[in-house]
Amino acid sequence: MTVSFIRTIILYIFIIIALRLMGKRQVGELSPSEFVVTLLVSELATIPMQSTAIPLSHGIVPIFTLLA
């Protein structure tokens, strides 16, 4: 239980950083392509959150790749 909690907190921090780098604060300000990237980021973050067998880097690296 503690491992899942810590993994969730770490991914949450990386998602907040990623969204701040996008520069938008509200969903209404997003263009369609930015909205799709936001949905992809949330989907990529759920995979390592659900399974402790998957390393966190398998979620963090694709998130920052999308932002680049």
Side-chain angles (χ1 to χ4, degrees), residues 1-67:
M1 176 92 168
T2 306
V3 173
S4 296
F5 179 74
I6 292 170
R7 290 169 65 96
T8 302
I9 296 298
I10 291 169
L11 282 169
Y12 177 77
I13 291 169
F14 278 104
I15 290 172
I16 294 298
I17 291 169
L19 291 176
R20 292 295 177 189
L21 288 174
M22 287 177 63
K24 306 293 181 180
R25 292 183 173 230
Q26 297 178 2
V27 175
E29 295 178 356
L30 297 174
S31 68
S33 62
E34 291 171 330
F35 183 67
V36 170
V37 168
T38 304
L39 292 177
L40 286 172
V41 165
S42 65
E43 183 64 30
L44 287 169
T46 59
I47 296 168
M49 246 191 273
Q50 293 174 352
S51 175
T52 56
I54 300 172
L56 282 176
S57 63
H58 287 202
I60 294 171
V61 171
I63 288 171
F64 283 110
T65 302
L66 280 173
L67 291 174

